[in-house]
Amino acid sequence: SNGDGIPQLGEYFAPANVIGSFGGIATRVDPNLKRPYSDQVNVGYERQLLGDLRVGVSYYYRTTKRQISRINAASPSSAYTPKTVTNPLDGSNMTIYALNAANVGKTDYLVTNVTALDDNTYNGLEFSAVKRLTKRWQVLSGFTIQKASGTYGSGLSDDFNNPNKDINRRNAILDNDATYVFKLSGTYQAAWGLSISPNYQYYTGYPILPTTTFTGLPQNSESVILLPRGTLRLPNVSVLNLRIARPTKFKEGRIGLEPMVDLLNIGNANPVLAENASYGANYLKPSDLLNPFVARFAMRLTF
């Protein structure tokens, strides 16, 4: 409109001028966008016991601020009207939101810092014990109790102006949070030069995010979280692996030859590692399992 041949935001992004928009996951980026940052605190205590045994305890705290997500500035939260529907999981009433007809189809996806995402914390307490290699054996072990919680966000596919996205998103478990994690590994130098190394891992199953899609709304459909993330979890995982090796040196130690056998998942455990979390005919149907027992034979050459 000013004749300079360059489209200015006020010239093309007025409602009377917009014919339509497509492509990409955002319309524009907040010019005042700031870099996210984390505050972290780690405190630990470690002590040597019995000469070759070291034990310790550590506490970890972390929070991330000024996280980046997306809002639809063309449809503020005030443009939605509440509507009562039935939660398919338990038959209870729940509230979803219908977009006013005047706002349907309007998009102004703005990438910006979302203050709601500032509500996040990680707290972890770790116990460790390490025995150095003496008397032909060594052990490394750790046990962690942890929790990452706060407001759940789905990055640049989100819309923090849409109250449907806000359903069950707060006080949720974040990331692939396993409440309890235990690891134990070690090595024993047996007779005939054999090296035996077990490795055991146990961790609490990862959180599930159950969702469903409601249709018949002015905006067509909405995907809604039915339970806060972490209310349901996958099964716990417990797996034991074992390596047996026989290192041998030649040419005054310049060449090494090490045949080895790896026995993976000795107990042939088969916990579910992933499930379909979308409510429907395949809800909670397994989509991935822990790999079964495998025996692997290998030869390592070093020079």
Side-chain angles (χ1 to χ4, degrees):
S1 60
N2 62 11
D4 66 354
I6 300 174
Q8 308 295 328
L9 184 64
E11 295 172 330
Y12 71 84
F13 208 72
N17 299 334
V18 174
I19 298 174
S21 62
F22 63 92
I25 56 176
T27 307
R28 55 196 176 97
V29 177
D30 186 347
N32 297 313
L33 189 72
K34 297 180 179 179
R35 184 186 299 274
Y37 68 93
S38 292
D39 291 330
Q40 301 185 45
V41 176
N42 303 333
V43 179
Y45 176 77
E46 196 173 73
R47 184 175 178 85
Q48 192 90 4
L49 296 176
L50 305 176
D52 55 6
L53 176 64
R54 187 175 75 248
V55 296
V57 58
S58 299
Y59 168 72
Y60 301 90
Y61 169 84
R62 181 180 66 252
T63 183
T64 303
K65 304 296 185 181
R66 292 203 306 228
Q67 294 192 66
I68 296 172
S69 192
R70 189 180 71 164
I71 63 172
N72 183 3
S75 295
S77 57
S78 59
Y80 290 82
T81 302
K83 178 180 179 180
T84 301
V85 295
T86 301
N87 187 326
L89 287 184
D90 57 14
S92 63
N93 289 336
M94 65 180 300
T95 301
I96 63 173
Y97 299 86
L99 181 61
N100 295 342
N103 294 86
V104 173
K106 292 184 177 180
T107 57
D108 174 16
Y109 286 119
L110 175 67
V111 176
T112 186
N113 302 108
V114 176
T115 56
L117 289 172
D118 287 351
D119 176 28
N120 68 90
T121 57
Y122 171 81
N123 289 278
L125 185 63
E126 180 185 65
F127 302 90
S128 62
V130 178
K131 181 192 177 298
R132 293 178 298 167
L133 181 60
T134 56
K135 299 180 180 179
R136 303 170 64 180
W137 66 284
Q138 65 177 2
V139 170
L140 171 64
S141 63
F143 175 61
T144 301
I145 305 171
Q146 60 184 358
K147 184 178 182 180
S149 61
T151 298
Y152 175 79
S154 52
L156 295 182
S157 63
D158 216 322
D159 176 11
F160 272 81
N161 271 358
N162 186 344
N164 292 293
K165 303 289 187 182
D166 202 43
I167 298 172
N168 289 318
R169 79 151 79 231
R170 303 179 189 276
N171 299 315
I173 297 299
L174 305 178
D175 307 320
N176 281 332
D177 171 275
T179 308
Y180 303 104
V181 179
F182 176 72
K183 296 182 179 181
L184 176 67
S185 61
T187 301
Y188 176 67
Q189 297 175 337
W192 306 296
L194 291 176
S195 175
I196 303 173
S197 302
N199 179 285
Y200 174 73
Q201 295 185 42
Y202 169 89
Y203 59 87
T204 306
Y206 291 151
I208 299 174
L209 185 70
T211 63
T212 194
T213 299
F214 290 99
T215 58
L217 298 167
Q219 66 268 39
N220 189 18
S221 64
E222 288 283 0
S223 178
V224 174
I225 301 172
L226 296 175
L227 288 172
R229 193 169 189 265
T231 304
L232 299 179
R233 285 183 175 269
L234 294 167
N236 300 337
V237 176
S238 176
V239 59
L240 175 64
N241 304 318
L242 180 67
R243 166 171 288 185
I244 302 174
R246 210 297 187 172
T248 305
K249 296 290 186 179
F250 300 96
K251 297 290 186 178
E252 298 179 349
R254 295 193 299 271
I255 298 178
L257 191 63
E258 184 179 9
M260 62 185 73
V261 179
D262 288 332
L263 305 176
L264 307 177
N265 192 6
I266 291 176
N268 200 32
N270 62 344
V272 175
L273 299 182
E275 292 178 342
N276 183 352
S278 180
Y279 187 82
N282 293 321
Y283 178 59
L284 298 186
K285 180 179 180 179
S287 58
D288 191 19
L289 300 173
L290 185 69
N291 290 333
F293 169 75
V294 173
R296 182 172 61 195
F297 302 87
M299 184 76 73
R300 175 185 293 160
L301 174 65
T302 56
F303 55 91

